[in-house]
Amino acid sequence: MNFFEHQAAARRSSTRMIVLFALAVLGIVVAVDVAVVVLFGGMRGAGASGGSMVGLLVFATLATVAVIGLGSLYRLASLRGGGETVALQMGGSEVPEDTSDPQLRRLRNVVEEIAIASGVPAPKLYVMEHESAINAFAAGYSPSDAAVAVTRGALERLNRDELQGVIAHEFSHILNGDMRLNIRLMGVLFGIMMLSIIGQRVLIYGRAGRSREGQAVLIVALVAMIVGGIGLFFGRMIKAGVSRQREMLADASAVQFTRQTIGLAGALKKIGGLHEGSQLSDKGKAEEVSHMLFGEGVAFSSLFATHPPLIERIRKLDPLFNPQQLQELSRRWSVAPPNGLQEDIAMGFAAAQSSSRTSSKPPPLPAAMHSLDITPPMVAAQVATPAQDDYCRAHSLVETLTPELRALARQRDQAMPLLLALLLDDGQKIAGKQRIEITSRMGEAIARQATELRQQQLQALHPMLRLPLAALIFPVLRMRPRPQLETFLDTVEAVVHADGQVSLFEYCLARLLQVQLRESLDPARYARFGRRKPGNVKNEFAILLAVVAQAGHADPAEAQRAYLAGLQRVLPRDHMPYAPPGYGVQALDEVWEPLDALDPLAKQVMVEAITAAVSHDGRVSVAEAELLRTICGVLHCPLPAMLDRG
């Protein structure tokens, strides 16, 4: 499946989750009503009327539904902070941007390169320091607020290829909508298990009650805990049903990305061969997030397992694998546990990496007017589906950035000036107006820093490096307090529109920053699966394609042909005349939200339409490709760093 099919499948899984949740609630309500009839049925013999029993059943039903609903709403509200909230609740410690720990540095390098290859911001990184097992998870509502957490055991035991396989697996969950489904599942399941939790608490703290009323409360608590067992049963069934297939798809996506099975298979073999395996020490927390972990975090029976059997996962990657090999590995590792960094050295990776930093240079980037050979279906197939060559290019792009720029991108006090510098114009007149806007909102010091960075570091920056640089800066930027980010967003808007003459790329880059920051500030608000169809957003399509065509062609006749080429892809039966808006790129303000709400499969057609407009003349320059990547990024269809393959 490609990205759009994955998204559509995630939406169907979300619908299935709601249906299963409704069935679970129904089962719990029926069990509660049966318990009420059994416990209080004798009241009718003591003079109680049938009407009072009906009233009691209605009350019990409403109270049960209220407890479950309020429990789910409470848990979802506690998770509004997105991936960072889940990582901290699991005991994660944030990985510093400038860490010197070799294991953490290796982790950050792998994550940053995969993020650039995927076309998404680098997620926040956390380490579960007290977990010696091999495991990891990705959490969040969207790539903008994603967090990836790994155990210290994974850092210590896995070599770089294996760590890359695990991180690629987690990036699949980030890109394909699984995170959004998983974090909502946490809230839903908490509500289902509320009765069991309440019953347990009352039994724990209510043992001293010996009066008749106290005994009645304890009986009700015991019944609540027993009935809550139904919720626990349904909860585990829902997790198993939703998670198991998506874990296999994530394995397949990781292999497609890395183009090798050795790393991911090696990580799974180490889980099977080491005593610690993948099971986390805190069973309570592991139970809640078991459906989003890389490996089984809790020992469930096969009926409730959230992951396919370990042997099955390994054999999918290594068909010749013999399960008896795990016994041999277990004996060997019980004497000398594997050390990931030492394995890197033995494989020559560390030496090669050191050599590349000191002696060799990354290959030169193509000229801005270099023509790329791409087609609309080819570009749509690459959305959120990076391949091994994308990873290699991402590594080259990171190495092409100067050491000074890479260092600046990781400094919190430089993040805002550096991003503003990306938006500054090279002309003194426009840059002067932009500097005034920055000074009036953020102060002279920030304005001076941005100007100096533009002149000293960014003036000759290759167009292909702007988005990768922004991807490195973004996770550092979103650590700033909300009031500062709100001021920064206002400043970005003012800088872009300082003179009313804004290029399409500058506008889209600024818009991309706005989208990512808004989503990171309030992740739950922007989490959704789109449902609109192309026929419902005809005018928005016409505006976007007209602006793209006009921006790429000085000749109005050529621009019209580009517009029609795109329109034919998305609305072949509709006649929408070419009418570029008089106020240029600012017309796009009204199209982003409706187009972003398109059904996943409709978004695939949209990407093909934009590509057709850009490539209608058979020539796509690097600058045009970067424009295409930026527009798709705004619409949550991330593209890799280079669109041609090979």
Side-chain angles (χ1 to χ4, degrees):
M1 291 195 292
N2 64 18
F3 165 76
F4 305 101
E5 292 165 339
H6 273 293
Q7 290 270 307
R11 196 182 75 177
R12 289 193 296 270
S13 294
S14 183
T15 302
R16 186 168 74 247
M17 179 186 71
I18 294 172
V19 172
L20 291 172
F21 174 68
L23 292 175
V25 172
L26 179 61
I28 295 171
V29 167
V30 170
V32 169
D33 287 348
V34 169
V36 168
V37 171
V38 171
L39 290 175
F40 299 100
M43 291 176 60
R44 296 187 64 181
S49 67
S52 64
M53 176 57 70
V54 171
L56 190 59
L57 288 174
V58 170
F59 173 79
T61 298
L62 294 177
T64 302
V65 172
V67 168
I68 295 173
L70 291 173
S72 293
L73 291 175
Y74 162 78
R75 190 68 181 110
L76 287 171
S78 71
L79 296 171
R80 285 190 64 86
E84 180 181 15
T85 300
V86 179
L88 292 174
Q89 289 180 4
M90 287 298 296
S93 300
E94 190 174 345
V95 177
E97 302 86 23
D98 55 351
T99 179
S100 58
D101 182 320
Q103 292 176 344
L104 298 182
R105 186 72 262 157
R106 182 182 60 166
L107 171 66
R108 183 166 286 283
N109 289 340
V110 168
V111 169
E112 288 178 351
E113 289 172 5
I114 294 180
I116 291 174
S118 305
V120 298
K124 283 189 176 181
L125 294 179
Y126 293 84
V127 175
M128 293 178 277
E129 293 286 0
H130 302 295
E131 296 290 351
S132 59
I134 297 174
N135 225 320
F137 68 84
Y141 288 98
S142 71
S144 298
D145 78 291
V148 171
V150 299
T151 60
R152 176 55 74 172
L155 294 179
E156 292 177 347
R157 303 300 179 209
L158 301 182
N159 61 45
R160 197 180 197 279
D161 282 343
E162 293 163 349
L163 185 63
Q164 180 190 343
V166 171
I167 296 300
H169 175 104
E170 297 308 323
F171 261 80
S172 172
H173 291 312
I174 292 175
L175 294 167
N176 294 327
D178 297 342
M179 289 193 314
R180 188 183 316 170
L181 179 65
N182 287 339
I183 202 168
R184 286 174 172 169
L185 192 55
M186 287 179 66
V188 166
L189 296 181
F190 186 84
I192 290 177
M193 293 185 286
M194 273 296 291
L195 282 178
S196 178
I197 295 171
I198 292 173
Q200 289 176 1
R201 294 294 183 271
V202 173
L203 286 175
I204 291 173
Y205 299 110
R207 291 177 181 171
R210 296 183 179 180
S211 65
R212 179 175 298 179
E213 292 79 4
Q215 292 175 354
V217 169
L218 291 180
I219 291 173
V220 172
L222 181 62
V223 171
M225 193 174 72
I226 294 172
V227 172
I230 298 175
L232 184 62
F233 171 84
F234 275 109
R236 288 179 175 175
M237 287 293 291
I238 292 172
K239 284 197 290 186
V242 171
S243 174
R244 208 174 299 172
Q245 183 61 28
R246 303 197 73 77
E247 289 301 317
M248 290 297 285
L249 291 174
D251 281 352
S253 295
V255 171
Q256 180 180 2
F257 175 39
T258 59
R259 281 296 189 270
Q260 51 95 356
T261 61
I262 296 175
L264 190 58
L268 293 171
K269 290 174 184 177
K270 285 182 177 177
I271 287 176
L274 288 168
H275 172 71
E276 298 86 352
S278 60
Q279 294 184 23
L280 303 184
S281 59
D282 191 330
K283 303 303 180 186
K285 291 180 179 178
E287 165 89 28
E288 190 175 24
V289 300
S290 59
H291 58 290
M292 62 174 64
L293 294 171
F294 172 73
E296 289 280 5
V298 182
F300 289 130
S301 67
S302 58
L303 179 65
F304 299 120
T306 54
H307 294 65
L310 186 67
I311 301 300
E312 180 183 340
R313 292 178 72 183
I314 296 174
R315 278 183 168 165
K316 286 279 187 181
L317 303 167
D318 181 4
L320 300 179
F321 173 73
N322 185 341
Q324 293 181 351
Q325 295 176 23
L326 287 182
Q327 298 177 7
E328 174 59 31
L329 291 173
S330 182
R331 284 194 295 268
R332 186 201 313 167
W333 288 335
S334 65
V335 177
N339 183 300
L341 291 177
Q342 291 299 320
E343 289 180 12
D344 286 345
I345 295 173
M347 292 187 297
F349 183 84
Q353 192 176 42
S354 174
S355 174
S356 70
R357 287 195 182 115
T358 56
S359 59
S360 63
K361 293 182 179 180
L365 297 175
M369 297 309 295
H370 172 76
S371 292
L372 306 179
D373 184 17
I374 62 175
T375 64
M378 172 183 166
V379 171
Q382 293 182 74
V383 172
T385 312
Q388 195 272 340
D389 59 332
D390 295 312
Y391 181 83
C392 295
R393 284 167 166 167
H395 178 75
S396 295
L397 288 173
V398 172
E399 292 297 316
T400 301
L401 290 168
T402 64
E404 292 80 12
L405 265 182
R406 293 204 298 270
L408 287 169
R410 296 187 176 111
Q411 296 177 22
R412 297 192 187 191
D413 59 339
Q414 295 292 329
M416 288 184 179
L418 193 54
L419 277 173
L420 289 171
L422 280 172
L423 295 169
L424 290 180
D425 196 88
D426 288 327
Q428 291 187 359
K429 183 178 179 181
I430 299 176
K433 294 181 179 180
Q434 292 173 323
R435 180 165 178 167
I436 292 173
E437 297 289 353
I438 297 172
T439 302
S440 65
R441 289 166 174 81
M442 302 189 69
E444 173 61 28
I446 297 292
R448 183 175 62 255
Q449 282 181 284
T451 302
E452 291 174 352
L453 287 169
R454 180 72 184 183
Q455 294 172 350
Q456 298 171 10
Q457 300 284 349
L458 302 178
Q459 201 128 35
L461 190 69
H462 194 283
M464 281 184 60
L465 296 176
R466 290 181 287 194
L467 290 182
L469 180 59
L472 294 179
I473 299 170
F474 181 70
V476 182
L477 180 66
R478 66 182 184 181
M479 295 176 187
R480 304 300 288 267
R482 176 184 285 266
Q484 291 185 15
L485 290 179
E486 293 286 358
T487 302
F488 176 71
L489 289 173
D490 180 56
T491 306
V492 166
E493 187 74 11
V495 167
V496 169
H497 297 94
D499 67 340
Q501 297 179 358
V502 185
S503 74
L504 182 55
F505 180 83
E506 290 172 336
Y507 173 85
C508 288
L509 177 59
R511 180 71 188 189
L512 181 60
L513 295 174
Q514 293 264 1
V515 167
Q516 291 173 348
L517 282 178
R518 290 291 179 199
E519 290 180 359
S520 69
L521 288 172
D522 195 359
R525 177 182 176 186
Y526 295 97
R528 63 185 182 275
F529 289 107
R531 296 183 179 273
R532 291 194 178 190
K533 301 298 181 183
N536 298 327
V537 289
K538 294 179 182 179
N539 291 332
E540 287 80 2
F541 269 126
I543 292 172
L544 175 61
L545 292 173
V547 170
V548 170
Q550 185 183 45
H553 303 85
D555 182 359
E558 280 291 314
Q560 183 174 10
R561 283 191 284 271
Y563 166 82
L564 293 175
L567 196 66
Q568 181 64 25
R569 285 272 176 178
V570 68
L571 297 169
R573 299 180 181 178
D574 292 277
H575 177 67
M576 306 285 292
Y578 174 62
Y583 46 105
V585 296
Q586 297 182 52
L588 295 178
D589 286 342
E590 62 189 70
V591 312
W592 298 122
E593 187 172 345
L595 291 180
D596 197 29
L598 280 169
D599 172 89
L601 297 180
K603 274 194 173 184
Q604 179 174 353
V605 180
M606 176 189 68
V607 172
E608 293 181 359
I610 300 170
T611 307
V614 171
S615 64
H616 85 287
D617 56 0
R619 300 185 306 275
V620 178
S621 68
V622 171
E624 288 176 318
E626 289 303 288
L627 170 61
L628 177 60
R629 290 183 65 228
T630 310
I631 293 175
C632 289
V634 172
L635 295 170
H636 297 93
C637 299
L639 284 166
M642 279 291 285
L643 301 181
D644 58 333
R645 290 297 196 193

